[in-house]
Amino acid sequence: MNLWNETKSIPISRQMVLEAYQKVRANKGSAGIDEISMKEFDANKRKHLYKLWNRMASGSYFPPPVKEVEIAKKDGNIRKLGIPTISDRVGQMVVKMFIEPRLETIFSPNSYGYRPKRNAHQALSKVRENCWKHDWVIDLDIKGFFDNINHYKLMLAVEKHVPENWVKLYIKRWLEAPVITKSGNLIEKQGKGTPQGGVISPLLANLFLHYAFDKWLEQKDEKIQFTRYADDVIVHCKSKVHSEQLLKSLHQRMNSVGLELHPQKTKIVYCRDYRRKGKHPIVKFDFLGYSFQPRTAYSKKKGNLFIGFDCAISISSRKRIAKKLEELNVNKLSFKSIVGVAQYLNPMIRGWVRYYGKFKMYELTKVFRLLSKRLVWWARRRYKRYKTSIRKAYKWLENVRKDYPTLFYHWNFSQINVIA
């Protein structure tokens, strides 16, 4: 008798668990509190998946505590991520795959984060377009959003779209799952918060903000343009007075749903350019790793330079890449030739170019000049003839690029001046 096909009280099939596992496996990720890695899980996946299916399908599954991991934020503070076990991530994926299609039908077209067929570049394109049309921006920062989602209010939203009791049962259990801190303390939830790092958390966060923000703003004024990527929100306004009034209403709205706008990070921004020459102290905001601000642009039609309001890689993003290059210790890499160095670095370089090179790619110049500097250091350590002459080492790198123009991924793009 095949136990996988045994009739259970909850309609979770073997196929649902297998598909969920395949998605979790593709996303990779580290081990939870049980210390079972993906490699170890794969080695005994039939046993792990059967155990999960058996418990979930009978209603007896209780998620283990979430492992807390600290990562540095770009502002120097610490972000706490909650890492579930691999089995628990599979369980969350089962429920996510079951309810996401119906929730997608109600979500706002202005919401882009953690949604199928939507991405950060689409959100950035929309913000660019809206900044050219509207003079003012409200850059919203929700303080500790994932830590402060109200469970009661979230479950009201879930119940509105999810009649299945077994789904609500598991969502409630995941919300209530305790957290084990770095120091080993077990922290119980106090009716709020969902771990940033859980598989189902982004979907639940989008559902919460759909009612807490998107729908509320659309009902308040359907003409207001906004773009939301998870809890990062940009709202566009026609006038300063309008933006000030709306920001006051947004403070009240967030307070009413148990959230708070960050007093320092939330700001009103003036989109200054060659047409909009008014004076305002703040003319810049960051969104998804890009900085929006007045920038010199070239008009092909008129053949002249002008000041536009546009986006490019932010200073903080450039600093993060520079820090990564420092951590990689490029100059001390032990490869015997520059080809090995290129193969090692290209996956990272490809990611940087594809994400940050979407708009104003030439702004990546400073990043890749820094990389060139480190490659020159590598050459001076590797080859005796360059030890005493940095000029000759730079000439060597120029010749490598001429002979092998596609060796490093960013060398494919003429917009990036990579060698100082």
Side-chain angles (χ1 to χ4, degrees), residues 131 134-139 237-240 243 267-285 292-294 309:
C131 283
H134 305 281
D135 297 354
W136 298 87
V137 153
I138 304 175
D139 177 13
C237 301
K238 286 288 186 184
S239 70
K240 186 180 179 183
S243 62
K267 56 185 183 287
I268 293 172
V269 182
Y270 180 52
C271 303
R272 184 158 56 81
D273 60 14
Y274 76 100
R275 294 177 294 112
R276 300 173 287 200
K277 298 179 180 178
K279 291 189 176 180
H280 185 74
I282 305 173
V283 293
K284 172 187 173 182
F285 66 91
F292 286 76
Q293 63 188 70
F309 194 86

Side-chain angles (χ1 to χ4, degrees), residues 79 110-115 118-120 123 140-142 145-146 149 196 201-210 213-214 226-234 254 259 287-288:
R79 172 181 281 123
N110 298 307
S111 165
Y112 292 86
Y114 307 112
R115 295 182 59 189
R118 288 178 162 251
N119 59 47
L140 293 180
D141 187 283
I142 302 173
F145 170 65
F146 280 88
I149 293 177
Q196 197 171 353
S201 293
L203 180 61
L204 297 178
N206 270 334
L207 179 61
F208 188 89
L209 281 176
H210 172 72
F213 181 83
D214 302 356
F226 72 92
T227 300
R228 182 172 68 76
Y229 193 96
D231 58 327
D232 288 332
V233 192
I234 302 297
M254 291 298 103
L259 298 174
F287 183 61
L288 302 180

Side-chain angles (χ1 to χ4, degrees), residues 50-69:
Y50 171 73
K51 183 178 176 182
L52 176 68
W53 169 77
N54 190 36
R55 290 184 177 178
M56 285 195 78
S58 61
S60 61
Y61 176 73
F62 284 86
V66 173
K67 178 183 176 183
E68 187 177 85
V69 175

Side-chain angles (χ1 to χ4, degrees), residues 128 131-134 270-277 283-285 291-299 304-312 360 362-363:
R128 287 179 87 218
C131 283
W132 297 333
K133 294 177 184 175
H134 305 281
Y270 180 52
C271 303
R272 184 158 56 81
D273 60 14
Y274 76 100
R275 294 177 294 112
R276 300 173 287 200
K277 298 179 180 178
V283 293
K284 172 187 173 182
F285 66 91
S291 285
F292 286 76
Q293 63 188 70
R295 296 180 185 277
T296 302
Y298 177 74
S299 171
N304 66 330
L305 295 173
F306 66 97
I307 299 296
F309 194 86
D310 210 342
C311 68
K360 306 282 185 186
Y362 60 80
E363 291 289 345

Side-chain angles (χ1 to χ4, degrees), residues 62-222:
F62 284 86
V66 173
K67 178 183 176 183
E68 187 177 85
V69 175
E70 295 179 350
I71 60 168
K73 291 171 69 174
K74 60 184 179 183
D75 59 7
N77 292 322
I78 297 294
R79 172 181 281 123
K80 293 178 179 179
L81 297 183
I83 309 298
T85 63
I86 293 170
S87 279
D88 196 44
R89 295 209 290 275
V90 175
Q92 290 187 37
M93 185 64 80
V94 167
V95 173
K96 182 192 173 194
M97 289 168 63
F98 185 76
I99 64 172
E100 186 174 55
R102 74 180 77 164
L103 295 182
E104 274 296 310
T105 64
I106 63 134
F107 284 161
S108 167
N110 298 307
S111 165
Y112 292 86
Y114 307 112
R115 295 182 59 189
K117 298 180 182 176
R118 288 178 162 251
N119 59 47
H121 284 157
Q122 292 171 333
L124 287 159
S125 293
K126 196 64 184 175
V127 171
R128 287 179 87 218
E129 183 186 317
N130 287 334
C131 283
W132 297 333
K133 294 177 184 175
H134 305 281
D135 297 354
W136 298 87
V137 153
I138 304 175
D139 177 13
L140 293 180
D141 187 283
I142 302 173
K143 193 174 179 181
F145 170 65
F146 280 88
D147 294 334
N148 290 296
I149 293 177
N150 183 288
H151 290 180
Y152 174 73
K153 286 179 167 47
L154 174 56
M155 288 309 297
L156 287 178
V158 170
E159 286 166 10
K160 188 175 175 69
H161 302 284
V162 180
E164 295 88 352
N165 288 327
W166 66 271
V167 176
K168 290 182 281 191
L169 173 79
Y170 285 131
I171 289 175
K172 197 166 184 296
R173 286 179 185 175
W174 279 312
L175 289 175
E176 293 171 352
V179 172
I180 289 191
T181 65
K182 198 175 178 182
S183 57
N185 294 325
L186 191 71
I187 308 294
E188 299 286 345
K189 295 286 180 66
Q190 302 297 319
K192 64 179 183 178
T194 179
Q196 197 171 353
V199 169
I200 203 165
S201 293
L203 180 61
L204 297 178
N206 270 334
L207 179 61
F208 188 89
L209 281 176
H210 172 72
Y211 287 105
F213 181 83
D214 302 356
K215 204 163 179 63
W216 173 83
L217 189 58
E218 287 164 359
Q219 289 173 345
K220 184 176 177 63
D221 187 344
E222 61 181 17

